[in-house]
Amino acid sequence: MRFALPASLLCLLACTATPLMAASGIRYLASQKTWVIDTDNTTYAVGVNERGELQELYWGAKLTRPEDLGTPHSSPGRASFDSSETNTNGEYPGWGGVFYAEPCLKLTRADGDRDLVLHYLDYKIDGTNLQLRAKDIHDNIVVTLLYRAYPQEDILRKFARIENGTRQVVTLESAQSGVWYLPRNENYRLTYASGAWATEDQLVQEPVHQGKVVLESRRGNTSHQLYPWFALDENGQATEETGRVWFGEIAWSGNWKLVVEETPAQQVRVVGGFNDFDFSYPLKPGESLETPAYYGGFTSEGFGGASSQLHQFEISEILPDHAHPKVRPVLYNSWEATEFNVNEAGQSVLAAKAAKIGIERFVMDDGWFGARNTDHAGLGDWVVNLKKFPHGLAGLIRTVNADGMDFGLWFEPEMVNPDSDLYRKHPDWVMNFPGRPRSEERNQLVLNMARDDVKEYVFHAVDTVLSENNIKFVKWDMNRHFSEPGWPDVPPAGQKEIWVKYVRNVYEIMDRLRQKHPGLEIESCSGGGGRVDLEVLRRTDEVWPSDNTEAFDRLRIQEGFTYFYTPKVMMAWVTDVPNMNGRSTPLKYRFLVAMQGALAVGSNLNKWSDQDFALATKMIAYYKTIRETVQLGRLYRLYSPRTGEFTANQYVSRDGKQAVAFAFLHSQQYLRPAPTVRLRGLGQDTIYRVTTIDDKLMHAQKTYSGSYLMNHGIDLRLTGDYDSTVVEFDAVN
Ligand code: GLA
């Protein structure tokens, strides 16, 4: 059960003399013109200063007496070059007056006026929701700031609705979701993740200096290059286990931007929202635009604490099954085994083998439709190829179901090959600038999903296949980014809306498909991890972190991924060796790496030996006994693959009764023993039965106290190259 006090009760409590120690919720301190948003362990406060501006007053650990914040007052200016307006922590500053830092809103009116100064108007509290409205000092341009507190997860959401109440068109040039301010300090360290195709989620840490660091996507989707998440810690001192960390995340699957800025007054602020690059959004009189959600959180328990907050938040608030979180089924995907060469007979053989090792969901990847024999043709024609599937998909699905598995199917709905019936019929449906080149990548073009006719076509194409077949799962792919993003069918002033409307229409299709096909699950894939964010995760049950399935590379990709996303959604396939980089690791190592997320198999089972089948059967059966702990529990990253030759991760179940620790040795040198693995998150006095899948425990003792395991730890006998093990701890008292 979620804990949320009714607003009336909160008001009652707020009016008593006792400070609101443990309560979470939102209240208004009228005498201080201040709103206080409390989660279980954090406080956020915003007030109205003497000029009438909304001003952030505090963000951090919970204040037992927020009244101490006093009456909001703007910060002083410094000379004629640094105004008070810029030095003050404006909650949603417009670009206007003397403000010159990164604004939350910048616009141009039809008559050319670009000045925007927002002053507080009114507020509304509704349970864990707060609305603050501000209005331009001159015009009826109104911004509603919408807040929601997630008390148990210590997360806050903010976003903005911008309304044009004037009689002229107002064109938005930068529409941000909001800004987070940190306590004044010039020694913050920024942590973020960068990457590329097959190299996703690489962590970067650097000091923050005066100026701006821009993290962004200009590519139409979330992107592999940078991820819409940041963390800041003081003096670079936070560790995995300790230290104060502020973090935030923009929830948007299109062009997003995060600007980490330190002002000359040593104020660090992080503005986030729609990317303003090539952005222009005209609002006619009466029209409005909502920005993406911007989530923020604080912890004093280091990066591990920050990740854990996000994981629990995603599981209990974001994912489609958040009301009743389930574990992910063990999946088989045919892509690396058969690529485009799919047919009923071949897939049926793979399905029978997959069922035998304990697979629960069989997914057929690319190649089943139209003239799709290579990546040169067929995209867009979502009609089953009857030469490959003489009984339609129904024949294969019957076999898969008879083998005890459910069936999933690959789509790439937003794309078209020029060599396709769809493109021949509707060449105008792709984004393009008339008369200019249409650049292909992977021989494909991007449909203009911002067009409602294209949206309807795509919805009906996917819906038809789902309606005619017993399909429980869609792998939704997107294998290139935007180029030449023209939308010639709308007046020039509105053409740049393509960046926003495209994404909203994709969301709408996913929502409608889920609504029409209850129980349908979706995976978000974009050539690996190109579309992973908190908004797509509202409508997709899992994501594909990377096309790189090489187990050693995966350790780092998976580590970075878990900084912001839960292992529950992290699809991890066991595939064949040598992998894309030529490396070969033992099958056991590959299984154990993949078992740290949502386990799947993508190997060519036709090439497996009897020993491979036996090992896979054992590992999958074992995984099913620990997957609830891995997917829904608390992750502790014990040894990072970034810092040495040894990696270890531990997961503790929600009820604390089971823990599992995975350990991986890269390459042993000079007979050096693996480091002792000191566990975390156990009960000091609890006795744990220790079991393992192999013989890597140095000491064969069967039970240990939590105190011993967390203070002394266990020693493992890992030797040579790519050795690995998993150890399980079950509470016995
Ligand atoms: C992308 C995906 C792969 C596979 C192929 C199919 O690259 O990331 O997993 O689905 O497309 O073409």
Side-chain angles (χ1 to χ4, degrees):
M1 280 300 288
R2 207 76 8 89
F3 173 59
L5 285 177
S8 52
L9 182 57
L10 278 173
C11 174
L12 200 71
L13 288 172
C15 302
T16 66
T18 327
L20 253 181
M21 292 290 289
S24 300
I26 300 174
R27 63 196 164 119
Y28 179 50
L29 308 180
S31 62
Q32 297 177 222
K33 274 202 165 178
T34 293
W35 295 266
V36 178
I37 308 178
D38 279 323
T39 64
D40 287 0
N41 300 292
T42 70
T43 295
Y44 185 84
V46 54
V48 183
N49 67 22
E50 79 288 356
R51 279 197 295 262
E53 300 156 349
L54 286 164
Q55 179 177 341
E56 185 190 299
L57 304 173
Y58 178 77
W59 182 34
K62 191 159 186 167
L63 298 180
T64 55
R65 203 171 65 147
E67 288 77 1
D68 293 343
L69 291 167
T71 308
H73 211 280
S74 62
S75 301
R78 216 172 61 140
S80 56
F81 298 97
D82 278 306
S83 67
S84 162
E85 281 81 351
T86 294
N87 287 353
T88 298
N89 292 346
E91 180 65 5
Y92 195 84
W95 186 77
V98 289
F99 182 83
Y100 73 89
E102 185 75 17
C104 282
L105 186 58
K106 182 178 185 313
L107 50 78
T108 299
R109 297 167 184 78
D111 63 11
D113 181 349
R114 309 196 301 283
D115 191 47
L116 178 75
V117 178
L118 295 166
H119 281 183
Y120 168 70
L121 200 59
D122 55 20
Y123 81 99
K124 197 157 98 189
I125 295 177
D126 177 13
T128 48
N129 294 294
L130 167 68
Q131 283 190 23
L132 297 176
R133 292 203 311 157
K135 185 187 137 331
D136 177 56
I137 49 174
H138 188 258
D139 292 327
N140 202 15
I141 296 170
V142 176
V143 176
T144 308
L145 304 179
L146 299 108
Y147 301 81
R148 175 159 177 202
Y150 298 89
Q152 284 186 334
E153 296 86 9
D154 291 319
I155 299 284
L156 203 62
R157 180 188 73 191
K158 37 168 122 173
F159 67 97
R161 186 186 308 124
I162 303 138
E163 288 168 272
N164 177 11
T166 73
R167 294 207 184 135
Q168 57 177 324
V169 173
V170 170
T171 300
L172 309 184
E173 287 154 355
S174 170
Q176 302 302 307
S177 305
V179 48
W180 301 100
Y181 293 88
L182 278 82
R184 198 185 297 272
N185 175 350
E186 58 183 333
N187 289 315
Y188 282 102
R189 175 178 61 174
L190 170 67
T191 304
Y192 63 96
S194 62
W197 174 81
T199 321
E200 289 86 343
D201 303 315
Q202 304 295 308
L203 292 168
V204 183
Q205 296 195 306
E206 61 192 34
V208 177
H209 298 297
Q210 188 177 319
K212 295 179 189 178
V213 173
V214 178
L215 309 175
E216 64 171 0
S217 165
R218 296 181 172 197
R219 313 209 61 188
N221 78 354
T222 327
S223 103
H224 307 73
Q225 283 70 44
L226 288 160
Y227 301 84
W229 166 87
F230 70 87
L232 288 155
D233 68 300
E234 289 166 315
N235 308 317
Q237 281 174 351
T239 67
E240 181 65 17
E241 303 175 21
T242 62
R244 293 166 14 117
V245 178
W246 290 259
F247 55 93
E249 194 156 347
I250 282 289
W252 182 242
S253 312
N255 286 2
W256 55 271
K257 184 167 106 161
L258 285 168
V259 177
V260 183
E261 177 174 28
E262 183 179 317
T263 70
Q266 287 75 53
Q267 177 61 59
V268 171
R269 56 201 299 276
V270 191
V271 175
F274 289 127
N275 199 333
D276 53 351
F277 173 78
D278 200 43
F279 183 91
S280 174
Y281 206 100
L283 295 180
K284 293 198 198 90
E287 286 185 343
S288 64
L289 176 69
E290 277 188 5
T291 70
Y294 193 9
Y295 295 94
F298 168 82
T299 179
S300 43
E301 291 177 15
F303 293 102
S307 302
S308 165
Q309 255 167 261
L310 279 170
H311 296 173
Q312 291 311 318
F313 172 65
E314 288 150 11
I315 290 169
S316 47
E317 298 289 352
I318 295 282
L319 291 170
D321 68 351
H322 65 91
H324 304 286
K326 308 188 291 265
V327 290
R328 307 297 310 143
V330 182
L331 175 155
Y332 178 81
N333 179 292
S334 64
W335 174 245
E336 292 198 21
T338 47
E339 296 206 340
F340 300 99
N341 194 13
V342 295
N343 57 48
E344 186 173 329
Q347 295 294 299
S348 299
V349 169
L350 284 173
K353 294 181 179 175
K356 279 210 181 103
I357 57 173
I359 297 291
E360 296 160 313
R361 170 171 290 165
F362 183 88
V363 181
M364 180 162 64
D365 212 279
D366 201 348
W368 58 269
F369 51 90
R372 186 74 168 168
N373 298 315
T374 66
D375 60 18
H376 286 263
L379 268 185
D381 301 338
W382 301 108
V383 177
V384 64
N385 180 323
L386 291 174
K387 278 201 199 115
K388 297 178 180 178
F389 297 91
H391 308 100
L393 292 175
L396 174 62
I397 296 175
R398 260 196 306 275
T399 306
V400 167
N401 291 160
D403 286 332
M405 300 177 289
D406 68 32
F407 182 79
L409 194 59
W410 181 93
F411 285 90
E412 196 179 355
E414 301 147 77
M415 298 291 157
V416 64
N417 286 123
D419 185 1
S420 67
D421 293 343
L422 181 66
Y423 190 74
R424 282 183 280 274
K425 201 164 161 203
H426 295 290
D428 53 326
W429 276 11
V430 299
M431 48 180 68
N432 73 93
F433 294 115
R436 313 260 332 156
R438 299 177 175 200
S439 301
E440 292 174 27
E441 286 188 289
R442 208 193 188 204
N443 314 301
Q444 63 196 54
L445 296 167
V446 188
L447 289 172
N448 182 355
M449 300 295 294
R451 287 175 59 139
D452 285 337
D453 51 357
V454 175
K455 174 184 74 181
E456 289 309 317
Y457 167 81
V458 169
F459 170 76
H460 288 294
V462 181
D463 175 48
T464 303
V465 180
L466 298 185
S467 301
E468 289 171 355
N469 296 287
N470 183 19
I471 295 172
K472 298 285 184 222
F473 171 86
V474 165
K475 174 175 170 182
W476 184 301
D477 212 336
M478 181 190 189
N479 276 314
R480 59 159 295 176
H481 291 119
F482 290 17
S483 65
E484 297 107 4
W487 186 0
D489 318 275
V490 299
Q495 290 185 5
K496 291 180 181 170
E497 289 177 23
I498 192 170
W499 296 109
V500 173
K501 291 200 165 148
Y502 180 109
V503 180
R504 294 231 154 111
N505 279 352
V506 169
Y507 289 157
E508 184 191 314
I509 297 173
M510 289 182 177
D511 292 342
R512 282 166 62 189
L513 288 172
R514 294 190 77 106
Q515 221 166 19
K516 186 149 180 219
H517 303 279
L520 176 74
E521 296 191 336
I522 304 178
E523 174 179 298
S524 175
C525 173
S526 174
R531 181 150 60 194
V532 188
D533 56 77
L534 289 178
E535 196 54 42
V536 86
L537 280 172
R538 285 194 174 280
R539 35 192 69 80
T540 55
D541 306 82
E542 60 185 46
V543 298
W544 184 226
S546 180
D547 279 348
N548 185 344
T549 58
E550 196 283 305
F552 177 65
D553 279 4
R554 266 282 174 144
L555 283 180
R556 272 181 77 160
I557 292 174
Q558 293 185 177
E559 182 203 41
F561 185 95
T562 64
Y563 266 64
F564 23 98
Y565 302 119
T566 164
K568 179 184 175 193
V569 301
M570 183 173 77
M571 293 309 294
W573 300 356
V574 172
T575 54
D576 293 329
V577 290
N579 207 299
M580 56 164 64
N581 55 14
R583 185 178 288 125
S584 291
T585 57
L587 185 57
K588 185 180 94 175
Y589 182 96
R590 282 176 270 148
F591 260 102
L592 290 177
V593 169
M595 283 160 66
Q596 297 179 103
L599 175 66
V601 176
S603 291
N604 187 348
L605 301 180
N606 295 325
K607 293 191 178 157
W608 272 15
S609 67
D610 290 347
Q611 288 97 309
D612 293 338
F613 278 107
L615 180 62
T617 308
K618 177 179 153 193
M619 295 300 254
I620 292 171
Y622 180 65
Y623 177 71
K624 289 177 183 169
T625 70
I626 57 163
R627 71 173 144 185
E628 191 169 335
T629 299
V630 169
Q631 295 182 19
L632 303 177
R634 158 90 203 238
L635 166 67
Y636 295 92
R637 292 176 293 245
L638 303 178
Y639 285 90
S640 166
R642 280 173 296 144
T643 49
E645 59 192 22
F646 181 71
T647 301
N649 292 307
Q650 180 203 345
Y651 302 75
V652 180
S653 64
R654 279 188 168 197
D655 64 7
K657 292 199 170 130
Q658 185 188 58
V660 276
F662 294 86
F664 305 91
L665 182 70
H666 181 219
S667 296
Q668 187 184 33
Q669 287 192 295
Y670 318 114
L671 294 174
R672 276 207 299 254
T676 301
V677 178
R678 197 172 52 80
L679 299 177
R680 300 199 58 218
L682 305 179
Q684 290 280 356
D685 299 326
T686 309
I687 304 300
Y688 294 89
R689 189 178 57 245
V690 181
T691 52
T692 180
I693 54 157
D694 48 30
D695 56 356
K696 304 289 177 185
L697 275 174
M698 202 85 95
H699 309 288
Q701 189 169 324
K702 298 229 166 23
T703 62
Y704 287 101
S705 65
S707 159
Y708 176 90
L709 292 169
M710 292 193 293
N711 294 307
H712 179 281
I714 52 164
D715 290 305
L716 301 170
R717 195 185 298 108
L718 297 183
T719 56
D721 292 340
Y722 306 113
D723 205 355
S724 58
T725 191
V726 58
V727 186
E728 180 179 337
F729 308 85
D730 292 284
V732 294
N733 63 342

